[in-house]
């Protein structure tokens, strides 16, 4: 769905985005570790997690609406 042009605010894009982002950051951390560079965590950027849900306006709205 995303590959066929789903918009960035669509459910198809949103559902694929967070798992993808989480994996990209896990890969970056693994490469840094393999290259014996300093590792880092989401906290280094002021984030709660790599998946970006804490910074996602869609997720935050869902949390607000569902509260």
């Amino acid at each position: 769905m995303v590959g066929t042009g789903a918009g960035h605010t669509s459910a198809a894009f949103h559902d694929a985005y967070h798992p993808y982002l989480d994996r990209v950051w896990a890969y970056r951390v693994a490469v840094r570790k393999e290259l014996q560079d300093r590792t880092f965590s989401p906290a280094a950027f002021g984030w709660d997690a790599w998946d970006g849900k804490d910074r996602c306006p869609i997720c935050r709205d869902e949390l607000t609406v569902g509260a």
Side-chain angles (χ1 to χ4, degrees):
M1 289 183 196
V2 174
T4 60
H8 72 278
T9 57
S10 71
F13 181 90
H14 186 258
D15 291 346
Y17 176 74
H18 292 298
Y20 169 78
L21 188 60
D22 188 51
R23 297 294 180 243
V24 167
W25 277 103
Y27 174 76
R28 289 175 175 170
V29 170
V31 168
R32 289 175 66 99
K33 184 177 180 182
E34 183 68 26
L35 296 175
Q36 299 177 351
D37 198 0
R38 291 184 310 146
T39 190
F40 53 86
S41 70
F45 299 96
W47 302 340
D48 293 335
W50 290 125
D51 64 11
K53 289 181 181 179
D54 60 320
R55 304 174 306 281
C56 174
I58 295 171
C59 288
R60 291 193 328 225
D61 286 344
E62 287 177 3
L63 293 175
T64 303
V65 171

